[in-house]
Amino acid sequence: MTTVDLTREPLVDGFRRPITYLRVSVTDKCNLRCVYCMPEAGLAWLQRDEILSYEEIAQLVRAAASVGVRSIRLTGGEPLVRRDLYRLVAEIAAIDGIDDIALSTNALLLEGQLDALVAAGLRRVNVSLDSLRHDRFEAIARRPGLDAVLSGIDAAIAAGLGPIKLNCVVMRGQNDDELSAFADLTRERAIFVRFIEVMPVHENLGVQHDTYVSSDEILARVRELGELRPVEGPQGNGPARYFAFDGAPGAVGVISPLSHEYCDRCNRVRLTADGRLRLCLFGDHALDLKTPLRAGASSGALAELMRSAMLIKPERHHLRLGETSSRMRAFSEIGG
Ligand code: SAM
């Protein structure tokens, strides 16, 4: 255990929301090219020296833990493309005050890395999967790999990482006819399928405008498949609303960033791969932590910088269909 001074006042933003959750992007690179996320040729990746080392990330997590952050989610880009991710999981698991480490992944590389990740302390995993059909998977992700993803999900459940949350971005004309196939997974297994509205970023404005399906429509269509009752999510609801079919071990969730704002419950901030503390997924408010970190700032000083950043966390985002509210080109830049 790395001892952390836990006596400091916890982080609270200017709207009295306690901030206890930090999403950490470990890379901006990805091994898929999902049509709603990034161009086929990829983006201009960060340079190696711009990206925080695992030791630097751990230093920042230690500072965050000292001001009340309790949950960490590793994300990206695709976090499993960064070498030896288990080393970072082990470092974070050893930090006093951190009691939850989760991973968001497309699961292409999950099966091979699972044992090391679990041994290091990983406890939960969210898998992104937009189609259960091979041809569709490849059309949306612009790369093959469905079998590897499904094996990764099975392996994660077998390793005790269940209940798995499966995130599916719903797009009209591309995969919205698979709502029932995804929903059926929840009748058989303790899987929480979360349908997500396509969100606008600079790279996808055309796609987003043409394919957007609101969560109300998604839910109405899932309701046609059987009676649903509202239920709690596996770790509370976060941004999702969950519903279960009668007797089902899993549940269907909807996440509605555009049609239903969840900003009043926001408890999170994000650390980008290049060391900026980003205060809102959809706004450019951010504080550079890499420069002070590399200049030798103490954990206490870094924690106070995090506290000062709370003042620029916006009350809510202002997303609208077909418009972005930030300069972000794709979520992979900041850890979606
Ligand atoms: N590679 C990891 C994964 O696949 O989960 C982590 C990063 S990925 C950017 C995180 C999530 O953001 C994925 O579920 C992805 O589908 C979603 N995402 C990316 N761009 C999106 C957009 N424009 N609208 C909605 N969801 C998006």
Side-chain angles (χ1 to χ4, degrees):
M1 183 76 61
T2 318
T3 312
V4 169
D5 174 7
L6 297 174
T7 59
R8 292 201 182 91
E9 281 288 302
L11 295 179
V12 177
D13 76 359
F15 303 93
R16 298 177 173 273
R17 295 171 295 198
I19 303 301
T20 54
Y21 179 20
L22 179 64
R23 296 175 65 104
V24 176
S25 174
V26 300
T27 178
D28 58 334
K29 294 203 177 100
C30 190
N31 46 0
L32 294 180
R33 294 285 184 275
C34 299
V35 289
Y36 52 80
C37 188
M38 60 167 85
E40 190 150 18
L43 295 164
W45 310 122
L46 292 167
Q47 299 296 309
R48 208 190 175 113
D49 63 342
E50 292 178 277
I51 292 187
L52 297 183
S53 68
Y54 287 163
E55 292 67 25
E56 288 172 330
I57 293 174
Q59 264 178 281
L60 291 176
V61 171
R62 225 169 275 127
S66 76
V67 281
V69 166
R70 296 291 167 259
S71 302
I72 301 293
R73 174 172 295 279
L74 302 178
T75 178
E78 171 47 41
L80 296 181
V81 300
R82 185 150 174 192
R83 187 190 294 216
D84 298 339
L85 188 72
Y86 72 90
R87 287 203 295 112
L88 178 62
V89 171
E91 286 213 36
I92 294 175
I95 296 173
D96 215 4
I98 298 298
D99 43 43
D100 184 30
I101 309 176
L103 173 72
S104 283
T105 176
N106 59 36
L108 269 183
L109 301 173
L110 183 59
E111 194 177 7
Q113 298 189 33
L114 197 60
D115 289 347
L117 290 166
V118 172
L122 184 72
R123 290 295 164 262
R124 294 194 295 121
V125 60
N126 285 8
V127 174
S128 303
L129 178 61
D130 302 324
S131 177
L132 296 165
R133 299 190 196 172
H134 286 88
D135 55 337
R136 286 277 180 78
F137 179 97
E138 203 164 327
I140 295 173
R142 297 198 187 103
R143 302 269 163 96
L146 177 60
D147 288 333
V149 174
L150 296 176
S151 309
I153 293 171
D154 288 341
I157 293 172
L161 292 187
I164 300 286
K165 288 188 197 158
L166 212 64
N167 292 332
C168 173
V169 176
V170 179
M171 287 169 288
R172 194 177 308 283
Q174 302 211 18
N175 65 351
D176 63 329
D177 57 348
E178 291 187 62
L179 290 177
S180 87
F182 274 103
D184 277 346
L185 297 176
T186 71
R187 300 187 199 254
E188 295 146 23
R189 311 173 81 176
I191 290 182
F192 286 68
V193 172
R194 309 192 313 167
F195 294 121
I196 304 176
E197 297 173 349
V198 194
M199 299 176 238
V201 290
H202 282 283
E203 283 305 328
N204 78 356
L205 288 182
V207 176
Q208 198 258 350
H209 196 271
D210 297 343
T211 62
Y212 175 77
V213 186
S214 74
S215 60
D216 285 343
E217 178 181 335
I218 295 170
L219 200 53
R221 288 170 62 179
V222 176
R223 277 190 204 286
E224 288 169 11
L225 307 170
E227 200 168 314
L228 289 175
R229 67 192 151 77
V231 290
E232 270 280 294
Q235 288 81 34
N237 286 348
R241 292 176 288 149
Y242 289 101
F243 303 86
F245 293 118
D246 231 13
V252 175
V254 283
I255 302 186
S256 327
L258 273 115
S259 52
H260 293 270
E261 293 186 4
Y262 43 64
C263 303
D264 53 340
R265 302 196 300 273
C266 188
N267 63 349
R268 62 197 58 188
V269 291
R270 293 174 154 81
L271 181 63
T272 62
D274 60 347
R276 284 170 298 128
L277 189 70
R278 178 145 177 146
L279 285 310
C280 174
L281 179 56
F282 302 107
D284 292 318
H285 319 76
L287 182 72
D288 169 28
L289 292 174
K290 181 176 65 185
T291 306
L293 173 71
R294 290 192 174 165
S298 67
S299 184
L302 292 168
E304 288 317 311
L305 282 172
M306 291 177 188
R307 192 188 307 290
S308 69
M310 293 301 111
L311 299 175
I312 55 166
K313 184 168 169 62
E315 184 174 17
R316 54 186 57 251
H317 68 70
H318 298 282
L319 270 190
R320 270 186 252 294
L321 190 60
E323 284 178 24
T324 63
S325 54
S326 80
R327 289 191 296 270
M328 169 173 59
R329 293 182 63 194
F331 285 171
S332 57
E333 281 182 1
I334 60 159

